[in-house]
Amino acid sequence: MRSLITEEVRALIGVEGEPVTFEVEKGTLRRFSQAISWPHQPHPLFHDEEHATSSKYGGLIAAPTFATRLPWLGT
């Protein structure tokens, strides 16, 4: 059976890259957290700026699945 993972990609397994940080508009984070939480209330770290500011993160953070919406993933 043929592998879908090329040798070039296989060589990258376990290799760490440089961290990437970029700003996302806060409203986008809030709307996304509401959409994935509906009909429940989103986690305050993703939605409530006052709560998030007093956390160890110092502000709103993206929900874990937000990365699936990043442009380099082809979405």
Side-chain angles (χ1 to χ4, degrees):
M1 177 181 228
R2 193 172 82 147
S3 175
L4 296 176
I5 300 176
T6 65
E7 289 306 314
E8 180 181 35
V9 171
R10 190 176 307 281
L12 294 173
I13 295 174
V15 175
E16 287 191 38
E18 291 296 317
V20 177
T21 302
F22 60 96
E23 288 194 33
V24 176
E25 196 271 324
K26 292 175 185 176
T28 301
L29 295 177
R30 286 188 186 103
R31 287 188 299 278
F32 185 81
S33 70
Q34 289 171 330
I36 64 169
S37 300
W38 189 88
H40 306 289
Q41 187 70 8
H43 191 289
L45 285 175
F46 311 144
H47 187 262
D48 181 346
E49 191 163 8
E50 185 177 330
H51 173 83
T53 301
S54 65
S55 75
K56 68 179 182 179
Y57 302 106
L60 291 177
I61 62 171
T65 54
F66 186 76
T68 63
R69 306 309 309 153
L70 298 175
W72 64 72
L73 295 175
T75 60

